Amino acid sequence: MISRSLSDLDKAQCGELLMSSELEELAKNIYENVVPRLWSSSAKSLTCWMKDLVEHIEFFNAWIEGSYPATYRIAAFSNPRNLLAAVSQNYARKLKLPLDEVAFENNIVEDEAESEDGIILSNLFIEGAKWEGHLADHEAGALTTPMPNVLFTPTESSKKKKPEKVVVYNNQ
């Protein structure tokens, strides 16, 4: 989609293709550093959106080529719940458990850690607080602050510790 629309815009600017209203809007959006609606409905600037797109493509290309990531950037997934569901399913199959008997234990990991059954999510943010080994008041004027990596380890629901409920938003 992106490649084709840019190719069409290039041809239109060279006179090889009729300049349509969609191509005019594309050129205007690029000039104004706005993500064209044709590509995405993101509110990010075009520069930030393209940087994220490149990181997204590099992340999945490395994964496809066989190197499992040490951490999984939550922003790389359009639906992170599916990633966690896959981890749950693999764990349930491994232990021959019903899927509804699998829950997650979550732990902050400051450095690279490994987990046989779990995954580490990165690129998480906290709204209205900050992390200092525990949740603390955020700096004045800071809407969000980065969160350390979080290790999600599947476990049997009956063995899970009492949870502290925290809402996590994926705001791409």
Side-chain angles (χ1 to χ4, degrees), residues 22-43:
E22 290 86 13
L23 291 176
E24 282 183 27
E25 184 179 348
L26 174 65
K28 180 181 174 208
N29 290 152
I30 291 170
Y31 178 76
E32 294 174 348
N33 196 28
V34 174
V35 178
R37 284 184 299 175
L38 180 65
W39 299 351
S40 174
S41 60
S42 176

Side-chain angles (χ1 to χ4, degrees), residues 12 36 40 44 49 53-54 65 69 83-84 99 121 125 138 156:
S40 174
K44 292 181 180 180
W49 185 82
L53 179 64
V54 168
E65 291 170 3
L83 176 64
L84 294 174
L99 189 55
L121 291 182
F125 293 85
H138 63 90
E156 292 180 56

